[in-house]
């Protein structure tokens, strides 16, 4: 595997999830693969889980790890070709990415969308320029429109905890105080549409995701209808795709509570984290026995390790 940027880079998602669970049982059995190999993790935005889980995964595989908080510690990056760099930007991505490729065997990149210009965000300009100029395999640590390591960890969690062959999985919109990217729900949707699950998306009117990510999903504006018989509920806020990046006031009643959980099939509750307590998810849910959010975050290690293992095998 030379690129991990979406579900489309994986031939068989069930085999990859199975491999992640095998690595969970035997974390150190492939240490020889990473000997004398280096991964550089480049963050243009804050991160707790992605940074620590990918670092841990790489160390489990015997790799050396370098982390650069590009937004705080790196030179200000210029992305435009032909730019006259007489302003705030100091280094062009053509040189920056190419130099990183001299130091690392694999590069991980996290970038976020600006949520102002949909065409620009959905073109994945920053991520694709890293891929183009670094010259080594690249793993997405979340990009403007997708978070595939998160989605793989989510699939691993569902496979691990399911009690029926084909569970009902519901992605439900949740309230928030600011505009958030569509990367996590986009990505979760496109992975679930390929997984062995029955998949429903529930959101208020105006929060439809791009249909490029949701083909095969049942989509409803009725949260109660969606939650009925759910085995897994994936809670997440996102801003509107159309009009792009907008949030509307109201919809506070979309927050998941224990009362709503009663209409499910004793569903397990997932969230990618970080979560705003009592805005997106209630204390009673997060502290209750149905929440698997910490377990899910733990599985980020095994998802990342399965992907890095395949990349190391292809070097
Ligand atoms: N879920 C997730 O990606 O968390 P971080 O932003 O902390 O990495």
């Amino acid at each position: 595997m030379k690129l991990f940027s979406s579900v489309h880079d994986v031939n068989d998602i069930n085999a990859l999830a199975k491999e992640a669970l095998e690595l969970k049982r035997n974390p150190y059995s492939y240490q020889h693969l990473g000997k004398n190999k280096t991964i550089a993790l480049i963050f243009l935005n804050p991160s707790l889980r992605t940074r620590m889980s990918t670092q841990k995964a790489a160390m489990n595989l015997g790799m050396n790890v370098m982390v650069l908080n590009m937004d705080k510690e790196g030179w200000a990056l210029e992305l435009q070709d032909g730019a006259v760099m007489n302003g705030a930007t100091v280094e062009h991505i053509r040189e920056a990415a190419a130099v990183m490729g001299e130091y690392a065997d694999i590069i991980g990149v996290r970038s976020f969308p600006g949520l102002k210009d949909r065409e620009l965000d959905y073109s994945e300009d920053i991520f694709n320029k890293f891929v183009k100029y670094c010259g080594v395999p690249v793993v997405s640590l979340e990009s403007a429109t997708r978070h595939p390591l998160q989605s793989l960890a989510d699939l691993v969690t569902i496979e691990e905890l399911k009690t029926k062959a084909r569970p009902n999985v519901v992605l439900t919109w949740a309230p928030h105080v600011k505009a958030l990217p569509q990367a996590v729900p986009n990505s979760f949707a496109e992975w679930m549409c390929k997984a062995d699950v029955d998949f429903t998306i529930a959101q208020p009117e105006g929060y439809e995701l791009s249909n490029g990510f949701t083909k095969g999903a049942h989509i409803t504006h009725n949260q109660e209808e969606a939650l009925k018989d759910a085995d897994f509920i994936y809670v997440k806020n996102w801003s509107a795709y159309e009009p792009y990046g907008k949030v509307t006031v109201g919809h506070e009643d979309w927050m998941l509570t224990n009362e709503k959980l009663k209409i499910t099939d004793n569903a397990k509750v997932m969230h990618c984290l970080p979560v705003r307590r009592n805005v997106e998810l209630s204390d009673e849910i997060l502290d209750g026995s149905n929440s698997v959010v910490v377990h899910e975050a733990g599985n980020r290690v095994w998802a990342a390790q399965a992907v890095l293992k395949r990349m190391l095998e292809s070097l």
Side-chain angles (χ1 to χ4, degrees), residues 46-51 110 142 147 150 272-274 300:
S47 166
L48 186 161
R49 280 145 290 273
T50 308
R51 173 195 311 258
R110 167 173 279 200
E142 186 170 355
H147 197 350
Q150 178 68 54
C272 62
L273 303 180
R300 292 290 308 272

Side-chain angles (χ1 to χ4, degrees), residues 30-105:
Y30 293 93
Q31 286 228 318
H32 59 282
L33 282 179
K35 188 172 162 47
N36 297 330
K37 297 284 188 285
T38 299
I39 186 167
L41 303 178
I42 313 301
F43 287 88
L44 283 83
N45 306 91
S47 166
L48 186 161
R49 280 145 290 273
T50 308
R51 173 195 311 258
M52 295 182 77
S53 61
T54 311
Q55 195 161 353
K56 173 80 175 146
M59 292 189 299
N60 286 351
L61 290 165
M63 299 187 81
N64 301 308
V65 185
M66 299 188 293
V67 179
L68 177 60
N69 300 310
M70 193 81 193
D71 54 330
K72 299 182 190 72
E73 299 158 357
W75 299 112
L77 267 188
E78 177 60 57
L79 299 169
Q80 296 306 319
D81 282 338
V84 179
M85 292 172 53
N86 58 1
T89 56
V90 178
E91 177 154 39
H92 203 281
I93 193 164
R94 283 175 176 258
E95 286 82 46
V99 169
M100 289 171 191
E102 293 289 312
Y103 302 149
D105 301 284

